[in-house]
Amino acid sequence: YQIGLDSDLFSYRAVDLPKYLVKMDLYEKYSYQGLQNLDRFGFTYSTDKIDLTVGRQAISFGSARFVNPINVLVPFDFVMINMEQINGIDAIRSKISLGELSELDFGLIFGNDGKRDNNAGFISYKSNIFNWDTSLTYLNFKRHHLFGVDFQGSLGGIGTWLELAWIDLYNQNDNDYLRGSLGGEYHLKGDLHIMGEYHYNGAGNSSISKYPLIKQGTAFSEGGVYLLAKHYLMAGFTYPITPLNMISMQEMYNLNDQSWLLIPKWEWNFKSDFYLTISGFISIGKKSTSIISPQSEFGSYPQVWYVLLKNF
């Protein structure tokens, strides 16, 4: 479930069951809803060199931990609940091994009714170059072109990644743009794991007054962009209090309007295959009572707390 259920999560499905099993007074003071998500339904054929998958499956790109510029098919919004795995999309995908550390990955993805303007296709080459996992990706989605490059390796014992994507829009009324994420992570003594990332969003704007216009643009409606400004700093940590108790914190900071989004989380594995999670979204920034004249990006987010019970 995502706050304000985003249709982008389900846009690359040729056919689908209704999302809402039941819905009553959505967005009113008292409301409820029941959702379904047929997330995986496919067939896989494998040989020593080739994996072929047909049907609903998970397809993602990039190594960035917070914002993936290349992953425009199923964008992972920061404000999501219960999204341990990426949503399934309808596709024919083939992976061909070119060597011990090299692979060619390509596929055809079907959108609503399988129409050309709703479909996507990709080809990606992955290899290990000078001990860096490297991938080059071309993606054509809804007639737009994406050229992506991704590096992941180690610098001085710090896990490091750099992910870049250039998007050439089919709609010439909007400007082409660059997105990039650079970050690192490190495991400290005592099981404390920390990470940080800088994200550049070329589709965004440094002016707060332009935020409403960005939401109307192609990058926001079709390109998987959900952030409104240009520059962001993100950080997070995870720490096991005990092997069955985990606490974590993630934050996203808008460098342009100085607003914050904090996501604290506690997870307790209280029984075999049962998990209890308490988490929330804490927004810090200048508030606004009007969506057409925002004062900050994250200051406009609601304060949300939730309890989640999971069984596997």
Side-chain angles (χ1 to χ4, degrees), residues 86-302:
I86 190 170
N87 268 34
I89 58 180
D90 295 341
I92 300 173
R93 183 186 196 183
S94 181
K95 294 182 178 180
I96 301 176
S97 175
L98 303 178
E100 188 173 341
L101 298 174
S102 298
E103 177 184 82
L104 186 65
D105 185 2
F106 58 94
L108 179 62
I109 299 158
F110 302 96
N112 188 31
D113 296 328
K115 295 181 179 179
R116 169 67 181 87
D117 288 349
N118 301 329
N119 295 346
F122 71 92
I123 182 168
S124 180
Y125 171 74
K126 303 175 184 178
S127 186
N128 186 277
I129 303 174
F130 299 114
N131 293 323
W132 283 78
D133 291 331
T134 304
S135 68
L136 303 173
T137 301
Y138 167 74
L139 178 66
N140 184 284
F141 64 102
K142 298 180 180 178
R143 294 188 180 270
H144 311 302
H145 303 280
L146 181 149
F147 303 90
V149 60
D150 183 52
F151 302 98
Q152 184 174 205
S154 178
L155 286 176
I158 299 174
T160 308
W161 59 87
L162 172 63
E163 182 180 341
L164 298 169
W166 172 259
I167 294 84
D168 179 12
L169 294 177
Y170 174 73
N171 181 3
Q172 295 303 313
N173 292 326
D174 289 336
N175 295 324
D176 303 336
Y177 56 92
L178 173 71
R179 299 174 71 203
S181 293
L182 172 65
E185 60 184 353
Y186 191 72
H187 199 79
L188 299 169
K189 292 182 179 179
D191 293 326
L192 177 64
H193 188 83
I194 59 174
M195 64 183 70
E197 184 174 295
Y198 163 75
H199 176 66
Y200 172 75
N201 177 30
N205 200 293
S206 300
S207 174
I208 299 174
S209 63
K210 299 292 181 61
Y211 285 176
L213 296 177
I214 295 170
K215 293 184 177 182
Q216 301 173 18
T218 304
F220 201 90
S221 62
E222 298 182 2
V225 175
Y226 64 91
L227 296 172
L228 303 177
K230 282 192 175 294
H231 304 282
Y232 294 86
L233 280 180
M234 292 150 285
F237 76 85
T238 58
Y239 180 75
I241 302 173
T242 70
L244 301 179
N245 279 274
M246 180 80 70
I247 60 171
S248 66
M249 170 74 82
Q250 291 184 328
E251 66 82 21
M252 179 177 284
Y253 178 57
N254 184 321
L255 288 165
N256 293 114
D257 63 29
Q258 289 78 54
S259 61
W260 296 76
L261 182 65
L262 306 178
I263 307 176
K265 181 183 292 186
W266 171 66
E267 185 172 79
W268 177 30
N269 180 199
F270 63 92
K271 187 179 179 181
S272 178
D273 298 326
F274 280 87
Y275 294 82
L276 176 67
T277 300
I278 299 177
S279 184
F281 305 99
I282 303 172
S283 57
I284 302 173
K286 294 181 179 179
K287 309 293 182 181
S288 175
T289 57
S290 172
I291 61 174
I292 62 175
S293 57
Q295 300 299 309
S296 70
E297 181 175 10
F298 298 132
S300 303
Y301 280 37

